[in-house]
Amino acid sequence: MATLLLIDSSVFPEGGSASRSVTAAFRKTWEEQHPDGTVIHRDLAADPLPHLDAVAASAGFSDPATHTPEQQTAFALRTRLAEELEQADAIVIGAPMYNFTIPSTLKAWLDQAIIMGRTAGENPSAKGKPVIVVASRGGSYAPGTPREPFEYVQNYLEAVLNGGFGLDVEFIVPELTMAPVNPAMAELVPLYETSREQAHEQAAAKAKELVARFAA
């Protein structure tokens, strides 16, 4: 039985979040195709992780036998996050663009979960696992658009998820999500609707593909 690690970071609930609607579509198809599987869901908005501090950081570079009680507590959280990543056969991450980059809650998860010599380094413990990133955004930052230089979500996450964790990264990008509520973007609503539909289709198709791969 396969395990899915699902991480949501949108500050908005599913009904008002483009990224959550797509990650939910992935999960729905995953569970339909693989009802005996396991889903580990981390909602970083509802249950945010503490940002990495000196205590937690130093614990990652020292012998556990020498840890202070504070370091033990901090490192226990980091260990649990690493174990969730290692237990997963596939990872799905909702990563909406906020102010040109990822939510701070998702950055906190990354900082806590990156443990040199375990999840990162020469031989990352989750190396090669598939990760699907739902990188939603209010406008468009696609190649050739005026705001292409401001695309710091996909570039950053490709670097840290592949270069750091060694994961096999794919992106689903629902864009122009502000078009229905921003009068200045009214003419872009059809493009937004197409992007939304394609994102849901891609999520369902990828869920089916991965379930079939793990069942083979």
Side-chain angles (χ1 to χ4, degrees):
M1 294 184 291
T3 297
L4 172 68
L5 174 60
L6 171 59
I7 299 171
D8 280 311
S9 63
S10 172
V11 298
F12 300 105
E14 183 178 330
S17 166
S19 65
R20 284 183 188 270
S21 69
V22 178
T23 61
F26 185 103
R27 178 176 184 171
K28 180 176 182 291
T29 302
W30 172 280
E31 291 179 329
E32 289 174 349
Q33 299 289 316
H34 192 43
D36 295 327
T38 300
V39 177
I40 302 170
H41 185 205
R42 276 206 171 268
D43 187 333
L44 300 178
D47 188 17
L49 298 169
H51 287 278
L52 192 70
D53 60 13
V55 173
S58 63
F61 291 98
S62 58
D63 183 347
T66 67
H67 284 177
T68 66
E70 292 78 12
Q71 286 178 314
Q72 290 175 1
T73 299
F75 200 63
L77 171 61
R78 300 189 69 189
T79 299
R80 186 161 72 250
L81 297 175
E83 290 171 346
E84 290 177 354
L85 186 67
E86 293 160 354
Q87 291 166 6
D89 296 285
I91 304 102
V92 173
I93 299 175
M97 179 186 281
Y98 292 161
N99 300 316
F100 306 121
T101 189
I102 62 173
S104 64
T105 51
L106 181 54
K107 181 62 164 61
W109 177 82
L110 290 165
D111 288 341
Q112 295 281 11
I114 294 173
I115 302 175
M116 294 303 298
R118 182 170 179 172
T119 60
E122 187 174 342
N123 189 29
S125 54
K127 184 177 181 178
K129 294 185 179 184
V131 56
I132 312 303
V133 179
V134 180
S136 60
R137 60 276 314 277
S140 179
Y141 299 79
T145 62
R147 289 204 165 188
E148 179 185 358
F150 295 93
E151 168 35 73
Y152 300 114
V153 172
Q154 289 178 258
N155 293 341
Y156 169 68
L157 290 178
E158 176 70 37
V160 71
L161 294 174
N162 179 262
F165 289 118
L167 301 171
D168 182 10
V169 186
E170 291 187 43
F171 289 93
I172 296 175
V173 185
E175 62 178 9
L176 302 170
T177 62
M178 289 297 294
V181 297
N182 184 348
M185 298 174 67
E187 64 181 17
L188 300 175
V189 168
L191 292 177
Y192 151 73
E193 292 174 341
T194 298
S195 177
R196 178 186 60 184
E197 183 176 335
Q198 289 176 342
H200 281 81
E201 291 173 351
Q202 290 170 353
K206 195 63 189 181
K208 290 179 181 179
E209 175 191 326
L210 289 176
V211 167
R213 182 194 306 181
F214 300 137

